[in-house]
Amino acid sequence: RIDNQPPQVSFTSPTTNTISAPLTFSGVSSDTLAASFGSTVTLSAAAAGGSQLQIAYLPSAPGSTSVNETPPAGLVLYGGLNGLSAVNGAPLTQTTDLSTNGWSITCSTSACPTVAADGFSLNALRFDGVDDGLRVANVGGAFASGALSLSAWVRPAAGVGARDATLLALSSSDGSRYGLLRYQTGNNSFHYADSSNGAVTATGSYAADRWHFVLLTLTDNGQGVLYADGAPVATFTTAWRPQAGDGLTIGQGWNGNAATDLLPGLIDEVSLYDRALTAAEAAQLLHAAQPFLHLDFEEECLVNNSPLADRYGWQQTATLSREQATNTAVTGIDGSQAQRLDGVNAWVAITHH
């Protein structure tokens, strides 16, 4: 019970009268919760001798009024890729679709990506480029009009040699019909290809081992735009459209028999829409309501020209400048460290990139 409102989810455990070890419950809330998250919790049957319930609430779902703007209309699938969960007691082979459609985003037991703490937003999933991948079956039927948008935050690995690494792909079960987004490691560029049009490549270079936002939009009459980091970088016309029965793959392509063109690197925040997003909406997804910079000053030793780590996905370059050569890190109020600035000749500089 939260804020004295009836629970929408309840747990009954254990079945005995004795609790001999801590119980842990976890789940995903799909409701939009108010910015002021209450602290009143009622235990319906407190055990004799006292009881305790701790709640850790991290609002990360699309539309959460605590952290996010409402996502654009037409959301088909939203994979935050913050972790993997077990299915019916099996190994960790599923990640959660946080849209209202409840798609199953799954992987094979021996070919699942791993959870990485250095995601663009919270965690991400790390793909090994060998056999890791995620699949969503039969999602093609959600695009009845033929219009669609696919997007993701990606951080391709560096030093992997030249390859066409698939980020997102919609394809038929035999692989003969497809539309996909790739990162070309040989020239550090994003690339779109489908079974009707051939291929278009983004202008510009997008460095590996950095976070980038990639978005594909396609109208119902086949006008396509490829965006990279919020800017339109290629346009095309195609007759390709996803069909009912087509599936989505993440981090790999599909040739009908096996995975192909696998990605080494990180993927975060995968979204699918049943319409072509506008340029303004592309900018909204790029910037959202998330910080551009997070300096926690947790470095244990800070002297002149010390680099400061940006803990968020933009990886801004920050440097401490001061005349003193001695360490000025002190005990912090949030975390273990803070930084003392003297108000005279000490400052932090952020380099634009």
Side-chain angles (χ1 to χ4, degrees), residues 98-165:
L98 295 176
S99 77
T100 60
N101 297 312
W103 295 99
S104 294
I105 309 173
T106 62
C107 53
S108 300
T109 303
S110 61
C112 285
T114 56
V115 178
D118 52 344
F120 181 81
S121 176
L122 305 177
N123 295 336
L125 291 181
R126 186 185 306 278
F127 297 76
D128 63 7
V130 178
D131 56 8
D132 289 354
L134 295 169
R135 293 184 60 82
V136 183
N138 302 320
V139 73
F143 308 103
S145 72
L148 60 88
S149 297
L150 310 175
S151 71
W153 282 95
V154 299
R155 185 174 177 175
V160 296
R163 66 168 74 185
D164 290 336

Side-chain angles (χ1 to χ4, degrees), residues 29 31-37 57 63-66:
S29 172
D31 295 322
T32 300
L33 301 180
S36 57
F37 183 74
Y57 172 65
S64 165
T65 55
S66 300

